[in-house]
Amino acid sequence: MGQTKVYTDDIRHFYEAFDSVNLQTDKALQLKTVQTLYVDRASQGLKDFMALGGGNTQRWLNYMIYNKKVFTGNPAQSRKYLRPDTRNTVPPEPGQSGLSRF
């Protein structure tokens, strides 16, 4: 069996985009936010997933809006979705990938 690689940066980027989207009401600005904070910063694994039909900028925005209550509800519930604490986060140092191996 091969190793599974989880790119934790994608999770952090998702929530950064999610939090920013929920501070805005302009749909065009929300779409640009998802593109800039999530899609443009995607790991190669997420890019591969999206290329296989796993989403695009509009679909990710729709997902964030439709599932807002899931991701902003009870903190115990949010932990089920691997929500990191994105407050006061510092980007990884150059050369760090944010990669965790299991």
Side-chain angles (χ1 to χ4, degrees), residues 40-94:
D40 288 349
R41 297 163 70 194
S43 68
Q44 187 59 49
L46 180 56
K47 289 176 186 175
D48 292 344
F49 174 72
M50 289 189 290
L52 293 170
N56 58 39
T57 304
Q58 183 63 61
R59 288 177 70 191
W60 285 116
L61 175 59
N62 293 346
Y63 182 78
M64 291 174 185
I65 292 170
Y66 181 77
N67 291 291
K68 180 178 179 178
K69 287 185 181 181
V70 171
F71 295 113
T72 59
N74 177 334
Q77 180 76 12
S78 294
R79 280 193 290 278
K80 290 181 182 179
Y81 299 97
L82 301 173
R83 176 155 189 146
D85 184 356
T86 55
R87 297 168 295 180
N88 302 316
T89 58
V90 176
E93 293 293 321

